[in-house]
Amino acid sequence: MEILRYTAFSSDPAGGNPAGVVLDARGVDDAAMLAAAAEVGYSETAFLLPTEQERVMDVRYFSPLAEVPFCGHATIATAVAYAERHGVGDLVLNTRAGVVPVRTAAADDGTLTATLVSVPPKSAELHGPLLAELLEILGWTASDLHEALPPRIAFGGAWHPILATTSRARLAELDYDMDALRALMLKQDWTTIDLVWRESPDVFQARNPFPVGGVFEDAATGAAAAAFGGYLRELGLVSAPATVTVHQGVDMGRPSLLTVDIPAGDGGISVSGTAVVLQ
């Protein structure tokens, strides 16, 4: 296997969320994929499996600890890596969450941008003892929550609880028990926890604990951004069509920028970003 290393949702190698990329993983079994992801050590590594159809691929995503059904930042990194070798254009990725179309384009300065379209999003209520347990593990209280952005569990290829706070200071103080949160997330089939603060009507700051992947925090989470876009539309918190931007990784020192396009209707959410190779 040739394992490439990119950072997604940043044009600066010092920012974004690093991902491993394998552009041709044919003949590689699950155990070898998991071992490679663990050796790379990033939150996710994507493994492409070309099909007989041109620019149509199966894809698997592995964290250092487990496989996940869909990963946004590794998708963006993979699409940019593929475009650098085979040219920009459309790709179709068959993920374990469903079919995810991806388009790459080049700016006048040569910067490559990838846009994925998630599977149709959905959400469910989050309240009662389950919400109380999650808040306790995070060290949050009900008073930290934003009344206009209610807690939900949202899906855009993977499930993510969404907790919005009224305070940027609350978002900055991330300190939790990794073992306790990992156990709860495995029980509930959650991938990351999407903690957000609304800076302005169309700008959000986010942090994403990811203990099920073996990391304290994800610097950019495209799957959570897609789920969040669906959440905003479903609850009428934006007037679709709408575009919002999500800043993530700031508190980690790896700033990331995710652009989320929310169409009217009930179709997939578009998440766009750049990616650059890590030397």
Side-chain angles (χ1 to χ4, degrees), residues 120-139:
K122 54 189 175 182
S123 74
E125 293 186 354
L126 174 60
H127 54 66
L130 182 56
L131 174 59
E133 183 179 1
L134 176 57
L135 291 174
E136 182 178 2
I137 293 172
L138 291 170

Side-chain angles (χ1 to χ4, degrees), residues 68-195:
V68 299
F70 175 63
C71 173
H73 85 275
T75 297
I76 297 297
T78 297
V80 168
Y82 188 92
E84 288 181 345
R85 297 204 175 185
H86 303 288
V88 299
D90 293 338
L91 294 174
V92 176
L93 300 183
N94 298 314
T95 80
R96 294 207 160 183
V99 177
V100 176
V102 187
R103 171 171 291 182
T104 50
D108 292 341
D109 64 0
T111 300
L112 294 175
T113 299
T115 299
L116 65 86
V117 181
S118 77
V119 298
K122 54 189 175 182
S123 74
E125 293 186 354
L126 174 60
H127 54 66
L130 182 56
L131 174 59
E133 183 179 1
L134 176 57
L135 291 174
E136 182 178 2
I137 293 172
L138 291 170
W140 287 31
T141 67
S143 63
D144 291 316
L145 299 176
H146 198 308
E147 291 185 358
L149 298 163
R152 299 281 286 185
I153 308 166
F155 179 86
W159 286 100
H160 307 264
I162 295 173
L163 299 179
T165 180
T166 58
S167 166
R168 182 64 180 89
R170 172 69 275 179
L171 190 67
E173 297 172 0
L174 183 61
D175 183 18
Y176 68 92
D177 183 326
M178 282 191 68
D179 290 339
L181 186 55
R182 181 172 185 268
L184 176 62
M185 293 173 71
L186 288 173
K187 181 179 179 181
Q188 299 296 328
D189 193 28
W190 297 339
T191 299
T192 71
I193 310 297
D194 196 18
L195 308 175

